[in-house]
Every structure is written in C-alpha cells, then in structure tokens.
Amino acid sequence: MITISKRDAALFKGKRYKTNYSSFGKYITKEDENEITLYLEPTPKRECTLEDEIASSWLNSSVFYTAVDENNDLLGFAEGAMEGWGERFRIVNIVVFNENNRGKGIGSKLMEAMETEALLHKAKSILLEVDNTNTKAISFYKPKGYSIIGFDKLAYTIDGDTMPLYMGKRL
C-alpha cells in the first residue's frame, strides 16, 4: 500500500537523491529564418541519471509530499510552489526513485497532490520542467493535460543536446 502525505520539506533539507531513467528518443529543435520546430528524434536506448536535492533549497514557501510504502520506505516525492508573479504554480520535482516502481500509480498520486495544491493556491496554470531526453516523463504528463510550452537550449549544456522543456496546463 502506498501512502501520499504532505510533509515539512525541512525534514529533507540537505538530502540528495539519484535516480535513473531510460529513453529511446529526445526532443530537438529545427530552426530556419522563419520558425523553430520541436520534434521527437528517435535514438538508440540511452540510460540517463538524475541527481539533485530532495528538498530544493532555493524554494520559498514550497509544498512537499512524499510517497511511502507499508514499511515507511520513501519511494518518491513531489515538490511545488506558487511563483511570485503570473498566478502560476510551479511543480519543481515529481520523482519516483526506482524505475521498477514506475507505472504503479505513484507518480499519478503525487501529481494529483500537486494539482490540488495549485487549486488551493488559486493558481490559474501549472508549469513544470522536464529534460528533453526524458520521453517517458513527457508521455506521463501529456495525457494529464500538459503540453510543451517552451524550451531553453542554453540551460543545461552549451551544445543544446540536453535541454529543459517546459510543460504546462491551464486550470
């Protein structure tokens, strides 16, 4: 049994996580003088690693949820906050640590908690960031009403091979 609970993010400050995901493609841009097109380019299977803080130290007034199993083992977490402008709620992290636990509804329950928080904060939209190579995560968000709303080719690497895609939806 999985339990989703709102928690004090301070309990997790300073702790880090590391998780892996596999991908068979990446979203890339094609540019000409009139337009920029974003499309999915198939690639050989690649293994990617994410490593970051569990509770983001740069966030103020964040909300934090954990997913634990019956042994109280931490399976994943979600974190978000209202932006100081724009009436948007930003989902900073939704992470299910072990790839074997993905596809079991944990991420969906964490996403529901974030969307409920956004509504409680009277947000007009929700925004999140996802790596362009994390096609499984992008496929997870799309059926939940999220669409790609932008990208930043300079954020992660100079060559633009990996970049954040921004996804969002109106509430």
Side-chain angles (χ1 to χ4, degrees):
M1 184 170 131
I2 307 302
T3 304
I4 307 296
S5 302
K6 190 172 187 176
R7 306 284 300 275
D8 181 357
L11 297 171
F12 298 89
K13 290 280 187 200
K15 295 185 181 184
R16 299 186 62 79
Y17 73 90
K18 184 175 182 179
T19 188
N20 299 312
Y21 67 89
S22 57
S23 177
F24 289 93
K26 65 180 177 178
Y27 283 83
I28 63 172
T29 59
K30 182 177 179 183
E31 303 175 42
D32 65 30
E33 54 198 48
N34 297 318
E35 67 181 5
I36 299 172
T37 306
L38 186 69
Y39 66 96
L40 179 60
E41 175 182 82
T43 62
K45 183 179 181 181
R46 63 196 275 181
E47 298 295 328
C48 303
T49 301
L50 294 172
E51 187 172 356
D52 202 353
E53 294 176 291
I54 288 184
S56 301
S57 59
W58 57 272
L59 267 182
N60 294 324
S61 304
S62 66
V63 292
F64 191 84
Y65 284 81
T66 59
V68 298
D69 65 12
E70 58 277 353
N71 299 318
N72 209 31
D73 290 330
L74 185 64
L75 304 176
F77 71 97
E79 180 178 27
M82 279 298 290
E83 292 184 335
W85 57 276
E87 299 181 62
R88 293 189 312 190
F89 188 88
R90 180 178 290 268
I91 298 173
V92 178
N93 280 306
I94 292 186
V95 179
V96 176
F97 300 124
N98 187 328
E99 200 163 6
N100 293 330
N101 286 329
R102 296 183 192 140
K104 297 180 179 178
I106 299 167
S108 293
K109 289 177 182 176
L110 290 167
M111 177 63 83
E112 287 172 20
M114 289 290 101
E115 290 183 352
T116 298
E117 285 289 341
L119 291 169
L120 290 171
H121 285 85
K122 298 182 176 28
K124 293 187 178 176
S125 62
I126 300 179
L127 173 74
L128 59 86
E129 178 182 313
V130 63
D131 190 296
N132 67 315
T133 64
N134 198 343
T135 54
K136 289 181 182 179
I138 294 164
S139 296
F140 169 77
Y141 297 128
K142 281 185 173 184
K144 292 174 178 6
Y146 291 80
S147 59
I148 296 171
I149 58 174
F151 58 89
D152 183 348
K153 291 175 67 171
L154 301 177
Y156 294 166
T157 60
I158 293 171
D159 63 9
D161 185 52
T162 57
M163 64 182 171
L165 298 181
Y166 300 101
M167 298 184 77
K169 80 174 188 179
R170 293 192 190 281
L171 295 174

